[in-house]
Amino acid sequence: MAWFLLFSAGFAEIVFALSLKYNQGFTKLWPSIITMVSGGCSFYLLILAIKTLPLGTAYAVWTGMGAVGVAVLGIILFKESADWYRLLSITLVVVGIIGLKLTDST
């Protein structure tokens, strides 16, 4: 259950970060509401997950999921660079997340 909470927190973190792009400095109402709600949900789910999971593992997975999700969606939605070095870097973060999951005993 803790891993489910952590992955849910990671997805909420992706929504949070993407909504920052759309709220334009909190001048757009609905994107601003989405930013606040998704950010709150992300932190709350992370708090629940770290009750069971090691803090270092949970935080690394949470930030890694957010970084990879936003980087991939930045390529898709905002036409950001998709050069081989960037894709390799994203892949390395994913490998790190998988490694942390595989080495956790909970």
Side-chain angles (χ1 to χ4, degrees):
M1 183 62 155
W3 280 100
F4 173 76
L5 292 170
L6 182 58
F7 283 114
S8 298
F11 286 116
E13 180 68 10
I14 293 166
V15 172
F16 166 76
L18 287 176
S19 67
L20 291 172
K21 177 81 169 174
Y22 292 103
N23 75 30
Q24 298 178 0
F26 291 100
T27 60
K28 303 287 184 183
L29 178 62
W30 288 109
S32 297
I33 291 171
I34 291 169
T35 299
M36 291 183 281
V37 170
S38 61
C41 286
S42 179
F43 282 116
Y44 179 70
L45 292 168
L46 177 63
I47 289 167
L48 295 177
I50 63 174
K51 287 182 178 182
T52 305
L53 297 174
L55 175 61
T57 299
Y59 188 74
V61 170
W62 179 67
T63 57
M65 282 185 66
V68 168
V70 172
V72 169
L73 289 172
I75 291 168
I76 295 167
L77 298 174
F78 307 118
K79 309 297 184 234
E80 294 176 359
S81 171
D83 62 41
W84 72 270
Y85 190 71
R86 183 179 179 130
L87 296 176
L88 174 63
S89 299
I90 292 169
T91 302
L92 291 173
V93 174
V94 171
V95 169
I97 292 169
I98 292 168
L100 288 170
K101 170 67 174 111
L102 293 175
T103 59
D104 185 58
S105 61
T106 55

